[in-house]
Amino acid sequence: MTRVAAVDIGATSGRIMTAELDDAGIRLSEAARFPNRIIEADGRWTWDIDGLYGRVVDGLRLVGEVDSWGIDTWAVDYGVVHDVRRIGPVRAYRDHIHETGL
């Protein structure tokens, strides 16, 4: 049997699904669901990346052993990383600064 986990993080919530595949077919189940929210810091909209990280780790612990796992998140949000460390907040695409293209 093959067992995998998928983490999907959306604009308002996240979830962790497991899929088990064997000769009988595929079975999907929801292992965890958690809220996601934009927070305001210094007049800018950011994601609570530390909170998300903790909820994903907790959810993957609930899942237990898997053969593989992956994470799907947003396409236009960004954070700056240097020497494997995050520098500053992860900016949300809904932040007002993106209205002007700056």
Side-chain angles (χ1 to χ4, degrees), residues 6-100:
V7 180
D8 175 41
I9 300 177
T12 60
S13 68
R15 67 180 173 166
I16 301 175
M17 300 289 293
T18 59
E20 295 178 347
L21 177 65
D22 59 22
D23 294 337
I26 188 168
R27 288 172 304 288
L28 298 174
S29 61
E30 184 177 288
R33 184 174 288 268
F34 48 86
N36 186 21
R37 63 185 175 89
I38 290 175
I39 56 177
E40 187 173 338
D42 298 323
R44 301 288 303 275
W45 288 2
T46 65
W47 293 110
D48 178 14
I49 198 70
D50 295 322
L52 281 173
Y53 177 81
R55 289 186 283 279
V56 167
V57 169
D58 289 346
L60 288 173
R61 282 188 182 126
L62 286 174
V63 166
E65 190 171 331
V66 293
D67 297 299
S68 181
W69 58 273
I71 299 178
D72 173 50
T73 62
W74 323 277
V76 294
D77 302 288
Y78 64 93
V80 178
V81 176
H82 178 72
D83 287 337
V84 196
R85 294 194 188 279
R86 179 173 40 90
I87 300 171
V90 175
R91 300 289 181 198
Y93 71 94
R94 295 179 180 183
D95 186 62
H96 64 86
I97 198 166
H98 298 119
E99 295 172 3
T100 62

